[in-house]
Amino acid sequence: MQIRKDFLWGGATAANQYEGGYNEGGKGLSIADVEKGARHGVPREIHDQIKDGVYYPSHVATDFYHRYKEDIALFAEMGFKAYRMSIAWTRIFPNGDELEPNEEGLKFYDDVFDELKKYNIEPIVTLSHYETPLHLVKEYGSWRSRKLVDFFVRYCEVVFNRYKGKVKYWMTFNEINATYISPRPWHQAGIVYQEGEDKAKTMVQASHHMLVASALAVIKGHEIDSENKIGCMLLYPEVYAATCAPEDQILRRNKMDNVFYYGDVHVRGYYSNVNTAVWDRIGAHPDMEKEDENILYMGKVDYIAFSYYFSAIEGKNLEMAEGNILIGGKNPYLKVTDWGWAIDPIGLRTSLNDLYDRYQVPLMIVENGMGAYDTIEADGSINDDYRIDYLKQHIDAMLDAIRIDHVDLLGYTPWGCIDLVSAGTGEMRKRYGFIYVDKDDEGKGTLNRSKKKSFFWYKKVIATNGEDTSY
Ligand code: BGP
């Protein structure tokens, strides 16, 4: 099989890590706006309001809000066919529970989509990427509450109507399964477990509300524009059994439930045996309304988008490795990044196969990449061969999955195509971009943009539709 002629090559960002302008244009506070910057290995602190003298990396981030024209021109120069971004919910509904949207926020994304259109870049839009309105967290307990379903669907309806004809590809919740696996599902669901709280119950209930909200959004999105393609978004780390002991294989299977728990409902439209088995195992199941079964069935997604950064291993007596939210064992066959993430391009090929075999719907890789330290040479150049090497290996593996294994893949948008704030640590020094942004971990810098070596390499990859990945 060949790669699609209209393959969506591009890059990915999210408003909370890139956009900045946190209090401009009528925007309200999101959960990201009260999360302090930190360092590798130091957990990020979450505040319930903005505190004086504290540096919050999302507030300016890397300033897409003011520089979107310059940045989109750079994306176009690389030849992007697509650009994955998110709409900040709090630009549209500053508190989340208003009845009327904020016109200035809507106008901002109109301008962004018009700018993309100038260069024929297809927007791929995440509706909620780690940026739940803070007011909904404080007032309603976030996704613990069924009320969020209505607030989210109202927001989706507004943006589907407003951007009809401008945006075709949508995703509901970024890495929805982060709610399941994170020890602190703040980013995804806006939840910090309270002392004495039944965590398992909260996790399945919040997840249920999000799954129902996602299904309702899909139903509305299809009603508003039958051209809309609405996907889910899963965090997919390939997991291997640590040994060939059959018990390790069962542990591996159980570990993958974190993905299939959500994938099954999103794609098949019902709670499967995976879900009911998980409920038994953790001793909790969600309360449901009688219409939910039908909603989930009617709101099946059109495609699966997923992020892939690393693989992990599962088994008894593991030596633990680092991951941003998925902790697994160290794999002796793999090298790791400076942040301890195992580099495993073949794992991407396996992931593509496993997802496609199981679900038989088109796939999109909407995040992949390597966070690394970059050095600026005396002449201003940035020779990021390590990044090129990582991406080349992953693109080659992706092409094998298409050409050899016949997986139906819509596109590839590597993460942080321009430097932005790390979700896991809040750092700037953990860089993913083809485009460098002059900003440090204290928030200092000119915010000027410059092209790294990888910029020119990726441009060639896109221009040849993946035929030439050499460097
Ligand atoms: C994913 C998130 C992104 C992004 C990426 C890299 O889990 O969807 O928002 O940040 O991870 O992680 P980090 O920023 O911690 O390096």
Side-chain angles (χ1 to χ4, degrees):
M1 203 162 103
Q2 289 308 309
I3 184 169
R4 287 162 175 262
K5 291 216 164 41
D6 57 354
F7 191 77
L8 296 169
W9 293 101
T13 63
N16 82 88
Q17 289 159 262
Y18 177 35
E19 200 174 271
Y22 84 106
N23 61 357
E24 293 178 61
K27 182 183 171 298
L29 293 182
S30 84
I31 55 173
D33 296 326
V34 291
E35 200 174 6
K36 199 174 166 238
R39 280 279 190 282
H40 183 201
V42 181
R44 296 185 70 179
E45 261 174 50
I46 298 164
H47 299 157
D48 56 5
Q49 58 184 3
I50 291 177
K51 294 192 179 166
D52 288 345
V54 175
Y55 169 59
Y56 297 98
S58 75
H59 288 192
V60 174
T62 45
D63 203 27
F64 180 67
Y65 191 67
H66 297 106
R67 295 166 193 252
Y68 66 91
K69 289 192 178 167
E70 178 186 352
D71 291 355
I72 290 170
L74 286 165
F75 299 158
E77 190 183 331
M78 264 187 287
F80 277 21
K81 312 282 182 220
Y83 167 52
R84 178 190 175 216
M85 55 177 276
S86 69
I87 293 180
W89 185 350
T90 49
R91 264 195 206 290
I92 312 303
F93 286 98
N95 284 325
D97 59 357
E98 297 91 339
L99 295 176
E100 294 304 323
N102 169 34
E103 175 55 33
E104 220 178 326
L106 286 166
K107 169 83 173 54
F108 170 67
Y109 294 108
D110 261 325
D111 294 345
V112 169
F113 298 139
D114 291 344
E115 196 66 20
L116 290 167
K117 179 81 191 150
K118 262 175 42 187
Y119 301 99
N120 279 325
I121 298 176
E122 183 83 50
I124 303 172
V125 175
T126 322
L127 289 153
S128 176
H129 190 132
Y130 295 173
E131 49 221 355
T132 307
L134 185 62
H135 173 77
L136 298 185
V137 174
K138 288 164 103 169
E139 196 61 30
Y140 303 91
S142 196
W143 285 98
R144 290 180 186 91
S145 164
R146 176 102 189 180
K147 291 210 170 87
L148 266 80
V149 174
D150 298 336
F151 300 143
F152 181 75
V153 175
R154 184 183 303 151
Y155 151 63
C156 292
E157 222 180 317
V158 164
V159 295
F160 288 146
N161 276 313
R162 175 76 172 223
Y163 306 124
K164 184 173 173 175
K166 291 189 181 184
V167 179
K168 177 167 113 177
Y169 290 100
W170 301 89
M171 271 166 259
T172 51
F173 294 98
N174 181 63
E175 295 187 335
I176 186 169
N177 51 324
T179 310
Y180 184 104
I181 52 187
S182 171
R184 188 196 63 182
W186 171 252
H187 288 128
Q188 182 38 267
I191 288 172
V192 179
Y193 293 127
Q194 306 300 311
E195 202 149 316
E197 181 170 5
D198 180 347
K199 292 181 185 174
K201 175 72 184 177
T202 298
M203 188 277 283
V204 293
Q205 195 62 54
S207 299
H208 179 67
H209 292 150
M210 293 166 84
L211 288 164
V212 169
S214 171
L216 284 167
V218 171
I219 295 167
K220 281 271 171 238
H222 286 154
E223 265 167 31
I224 292 168
D225 187 349
S226 58
E227 291 292 300
N228 275 336
K229 301 278 176 229
I230 308 170
C232 59
M233 199 300 207
L234 303 170
L235 185 172
Y236 198 102
E238 183 58 43
V239 179
Y240 304 115
T243 71
C244 47
E247 295 81 1
D248 280 1
Q249 180 58 19
I250 294 291
L251 290 173
R252 183 258 165 199
R253 271 186 59 110
N254 288 350
K255 190 80 175 187
M256 291 312 293
D257 287 349
N258 82 76
V259 176
F260 302 136
Y261 187 94
Y262 299 86
D264 283 10
V265 184
H266 273 310
V267 186
R268 295 173 169 166
Y270 56 86
Y271 281 111
S272 70
N273 65 304
V274 164
N275 303 97
T276 54
V278 166
W279 295 339
D280 279 358
R281 208 160 65 223
I282 66 175
H285 62 86
D287 300 327
M288 300 190 199
E289 307 279 317
K290 62 175 184 316
E291 67 270 23
D292 290 357
E293 207 174 305
N294 189 44
I295 292 171
L296 294 177
Y297 194 72
M298 298 308 292
K300 286 182 278 188
V301 295
D302 300 313
Y303 66 96
I304 298 173
F306 71 104
S307 61
Y308 176 87
Y309 290 91
F310 55 80
S311 62
I313 61 172
E314 188 63 13
K316 287 182 287 184
N317 309 322
L318 294 176
E319 194 194 334
M320 297 314 272
E322 287 183 75
N324 60 347
I325 42 182
L326 183 116
I327 311 294
K330 278 189 185 152
N331 186 331
Y333 298 96
L334 299 175
K335 295 203 174 97
V336 297
T337 69
D338 290 335
W339 274 261
W341 295 13
I343 301 173
D344 183 8
I346 295 176
L348 175 61
R349 180 173 172 189
T350 318
S351 307
L352 285 159
N353 274 281
D354 288 352
L355 275 171
Y356 195 60
D357 286 353
R358 187 179 182 102
Y359 295 118
Q360 299 286 302
V361 294
L363 304 177
M364 206 188 281
I365 302 167
V366 293
E367 287 185 34
N368 174 231
M370 175 170 113
Y373 299 105
D374 286 334
T375 310
I376 307 181
E377 306 297 339
D379 66 356
S381 63
I382 297 161
N383 297 308
D384 55 344
D385 294 83
Y386 38 89
R387 180 170 296 110
I388 298 174
D389 192 54
Y390 176 102
L391 292 170
K392 177 193 162 24
Q393 290 185 56
H394 284 75
I395 289 173
D396 287 345
M398 165 186 100
L399 292 169
D400 284 348
I402 298 171
R403 292 173 183 150
I404 303 171
D405 309 327
H406 299 192
V407 168
D408 184 9
L409 189 65
L410 299 170
Y412 176 73
T413 59
W415 176 249
C417 48
I418 177 165
D419 291 345
L420 39 62
V421 175
S422 156
T425 66
E427 289 166 298
M428 268 309 301
R429 67 174 79 187
K430 187 182 190 187
R431 295 175 184 273
Y432 288 88
F434 302 111
I435 300 164
Y436 186 88
V437 179
D438 178 29
K439 183 177 170 176
D440 68 15
D441 285 338
E442 277 71 51
K444 298 195 187 76
T446 59
L447 291 167
N448 284 345
R449 277 64 172 142
S450 52
K451 299 167 197 170
K452 304 181 194 177
K453 185 174 175 184
S454 55
F455 181 101
F456 302 99
W457 168 80
Y458 192 45
K459 182 177 177 172
K460 179 191 66 181
V461 173
I462 297 176
T464 61
N465 202 19
E467 280 304 313
D468 187 357
T469 61
S470 66
Y471 72 101

